Amino acid sequence: GQNIDQPTEMTATEGAIVQINCTYQTSGFNGLFWYQQHAGEAPTFLSYNVLDGLEEKGRFSSFLSRSKGYSYLLLKELQMKDSASYLCAALEGLNAGNNRKLIWGLGTSLGVNP
Amino acid sequence: ETGVTQTPRHLVMGMTNKKSLKCEQHLGHNAMYWYKQSAKKPLELMFVYSLEERVENNSVPSRFSPECPNSSHLFLHLHTLQPEDSALYLCASSQATQNSPLHFGNGTRLTVT
């Protein structure tokens, strides 16, 4: 079946490092997205991984292991503004049309404390 | 500013009302989407227009009706809604390629009374 799991809530301290995990099960796989959503705002794109390994983008990095069905988002030098929900979404294999299907997690609510 | 603009930001409507949500994208994308976001549920894809082809999620009730007059504009027409339809409705756009990220609008917070 199709399933995405990520922790519901996490808390961390300003300046620290936090890792948000995501495991997935999909029918075919064409990559994994991470989005950030502040309360009352639009989700914004953070990263896309399709190959195994770590992709670094400033303070944020994303890792993928296709064989383990596992990804994580790593946030370094945490700032108060990083308090948000982080959504993991797996891209299933394309169907016969040009339609792709994203399987979304419930999101991880991260609170950053001073 | 997200490049995807949704109006209104908030909407309260009775079950017998008819209203429409509007979305406009200024990013030159060729696919547009309606998503429903409810508490403690994953994002639910409602409708997609991609390369002028409409794709429906068959579990969406007929009281929701999309309209996409061109690649930059998307509407969601609402009629005879139920209280359980109260949610955040998000519009998004992307290029119609499989790994293109979605660009979301700020959403319309809908309350059905």
Side-chain angles (χ1 to χ4, degrees), chain A residues 30 33 35 37 40-43 45 48 87 91-92 94 98-100 102 104-106, chain B residues 9 33 35 37 40-43 50-51 55 94 97-102 104-106:
Chain A
N30 275 293
F33 292 89
Y35 287 82
Q37 185 176 21
E41 297 184 12
F45 169 72
Y48 170 74
L87 305 171
L91 182 61
E92 281 197 325
L94 281 177
N98 63 355
N99 305 313
R100 58 179 185 175
L102 277 172
W104 292 87
L106 290 172
Chain B
R9 288 297 306 274
Y33 311 75
Y35 276 92
Q37 188 173 38
K40 300 185 180 181
K41 291 185 178 180
L43 275 171
S50 178
L51 299 174
V55 178
S94 76
T97 53
Q98 64 167 332
N99 60 352
S100 294
L102 297 171
F104 287 89
N106 282 327

Side-chain angles (χ1 to χ4, degrees), chain A residues 13-24:
Chain A
T13 304
E14 197 173 13
I17 299 173
V18 70
Q19 178 175 310
I20 303 175
N21 296 324
C22 172
T23 58
Y24 63 88

Side-chain angles (χ1 to χ4, degrees), chain B residues 4-7 20-25 31-35 45-50 53-55 65-77 90-93 108:
Chain B
V4 179
T5 304
Q6 288 187 243
T7 54
S20 295
L21 310 184
K22 179 182 177 182
C23 177
E24 184 175 358
Q25 60 97 0
M32 295 189 77
Y33 311 75
W34 281 116
Y35 276 92
L45 178 64
M46 300 177 73
F47 301 104
V48 182
Y49 282 84
S50 178
E53 177 184 343
R54 173 177 161 181
V55 178
S65 173
E67 178 189 359
C68 189
N70 54 61
S71 61
S72 298
H73 294 86
L74 185 65
F75 296 90
L76 187 63
H77 304 299
L90 291 164
C91 173
S93 70
T108 295

Side-chain angles (χ1 to χ4, degrees), chain B residues 78-96:
Chain B
L78 316 172
H79 65 97
T80 59
L81 294 191
Q82 303 298 310
E84 60 265 29
D85 297 324
S86 297
L88 181 67
Y89 289 84
L90 291 164
C91 173
S93 70
S94 76
Q95 295 296 345

Side-chain angles (χ1 to χ4, degrees), chain A residues 48-92:
Chain A
Y48 170 74
N49 295 65
V50 66
L51 300 176
D52 285 355
L54 186 68
E55 300 258 352
E56 297 188 64
K57 197 184 292 185
R59 293 189 300 112
F60 291 10
S61 302
S62 56
F63 172 83
L64 178 68
S65 169
R66 295 177 67 124
S67 62
K68 296 182 179 178
Y70 168 68
S71 173
Y72 67 72
L73 183 69
L74 192 71
L75 292 75
K76 302 177 184 176
E77 301 170 14
L78 279 175
Q79 302 176 9
M80 298 295 288
K81 67 178 182 180
D82 298 330
S83 294
S85 181
Y86 291 86
L87 305 171
C88 169
L91 182 61
E92 281 197 325

